[in-house]
Amino acid sequence: MLELHQFRHSPFCLKVRMALKAKGLSFSVHEVLPGLGQVALFKLSGQRQVPVLVDGDHVVVDSSAIIRHLDSLHPDLRLIPEDAKEAAQIHLIEDWADNTLANAVRTALIKAAAENKDLRMALFPKALPNPLRNAIGNFPGHWLSGATEIACQGEYSDLLGSLEQLSCLLASNPWIIGNSMSVADLAVAAQLSLLRFPASSGDELAGKGCLGISDHPKLQPLFQWRDQIEESLRETDPLVI
Ligand SMILES: N[C@@H](CCC(=O)N[C@@H](CS)C(=O)NCC(=O)O)C(=O)O
């Protein structure tokens, strides 16, 4: 049985869950507690980041490496095509999503969480003790919000510009590159989950996100595309261990 060590709301872990589901593989998830749980993760994998996939004797770290591992073992539904030109284009989009998009999305989410106590509370693991959750919830968010606003105006308009381009592309094409789902689609769809949380994030978070982006009229085709991908991959939830 494949075992995924994850933070539930990490987009990189969602990217791997979507790949596992696209390939029809059954797996269990091990929820890592930020901080303490990462000590055990370090013992297991030699580093402290999620996702980590345990596949028998193989311990694979990093979402891109995990998906390449899965593609080599289960090539019937490839997420990285054999065609070299398409594979190169897909690699570039995946790299953009995992780095540039991920950084901009993280900043936008921090700003949104600073402005919205409900979102802030919902993002922290249920396993955290209540006094700590409450302290985080009651932190005066506008301090942080002001700081991120000044620092990140350029990044925010770049993010909006890129998302508008993608939204336009995906209004008339089912996939970003080529004629079937690839790791480029999964990497982008996973990052979008932090801008507007999908149903799979649970009742507390579903529909919440970064106002100004999640409700932007030009970006609705993009979020609909993401929701369709999630819907097509929905099946029995993995066993949580
Ligand atoms: N390049 C990695 C990025 C993974 C990553 O950034 N994981 C974050 C969660 S979203 C993490 O584990 N952060 C905890 C830490 O750095 O201590 C991948 O694609 O898997």
Side-chain angles (χ1 to χ4, degrees):
M1 167 75 103
L2 298 166
E3 190 180 284
L4 176 65
H5 293 247
Q6 68 160 13
F7 295 159
R8 182 174 180 195
H9 300 305
S10 153
F12 298 100
C13 298
L14 175 58
K15 177 182 159 195
V16 171
R17 289 200 304 277
M18 289 197 291
L20 287 161
K21 288 180 181 183
K23 287 177 173 289
L25 299 169
S26 55
F27 61 103
S28 60
V29 298
H30 176 86
E31 203 58 40
V32 175
L33 189 64
L36 258 190
Q38 288 172 273
V39 177
L41 190 71
F42 192 89
K43 283 190 189 145
L44 173 73
S45 68
Q47 55 86 63
R48 57 181 209 156
Q49 288 199 323
V50 290
V52 171
L53 186 79
V54 180
D55 180 3
D57 291 337
H58 298 277
V59 178
V60 191
V61 303
D62 186 275
S63 63
S64 303
I66 292 171
I67 293 175
R68 274 152 188 77
H69 170 82
L70 294 174
D71 244 23
S72 67
L73 291 182
H74 307 277
D76 32 318
L77 200 153
R78 295 187 66 97
L79 293 168
I80 302 150
E82 280 170 307
D83 176 78
K85 186 174 167 192
E86 262 189 26
Q89 290 170 336
I90 285 168
H91 171 77
L92 291 176
I93 298 281
E94 183 192 19
D95 187 54
W96 170 78
D98 285 355
N99 292 290
T100 308
L101 179 61
N103 287 339
V105 160
R106 197 177 308 128
T107 307
L109 183 66
I110 291 171
K111 184 172 177 296
E115 289 166 357
N116 181 338
K117 180 179 171 185
D118 284 351
L119 177 60
R120 209 151 66 227
M121 298 286 283
L123 279 170
F124 281 89
K126 292 278 175 302
L128 281 185
N130 269 338
L132 184 55
R133 279 170 66 85
N134 289 335
I136 291 161
N138 290 327
F139 184 80
H142 58 275
W143 293 353
L144 187 54
S145 160
T148 53
E149 206 148 340
I150 294 160
C152 305
Q153 268 159 6
E155 193 182 48
Y156 185 81
S157 62
D158 286 351
L159 172 65
L160 264 187
S162 300
L163 294 179
E164 278 181 33
Q165 296 279 348
L166 270 176
S167 195
C168 199
L169 169 78
L170 292 165
S172 52
N173 292 284
W175 312 114
I176 299 176
I177 308 246
N179 295 323
S180 60
M181 181 190 286
S182 75
V183 68
D185 300 298
L186 300 186
V188 170
Q191 294 299 332
L192 293 178
S193 71
L194 295 189
L195 295 173
R196 185 161 92 197
F197 286 91
S200 65
S201 301
D203 291 345
E204 226 185 328
L205 274 171
K208 290 196 176 76
C210 303
L211 286 178
I213 297 179
S214 61
D215 55 348
H216 194 299
K218 287 191 181 161
L219 302 183
Q220 295 319 299
L222 183 61
F223 287 109
Q224 278 156 17
W225 168 81
R226 186 278 315 265
D227 289 345
Q228 273 163 15
I229 291 188
E230 276 243 327
E231 187 62 28
S232 73
L233 297 178
R234 201 155 58 97
E235 28 92 43
T236 49
D237 280 331
L239 177 69
V240 180
I241 50 175

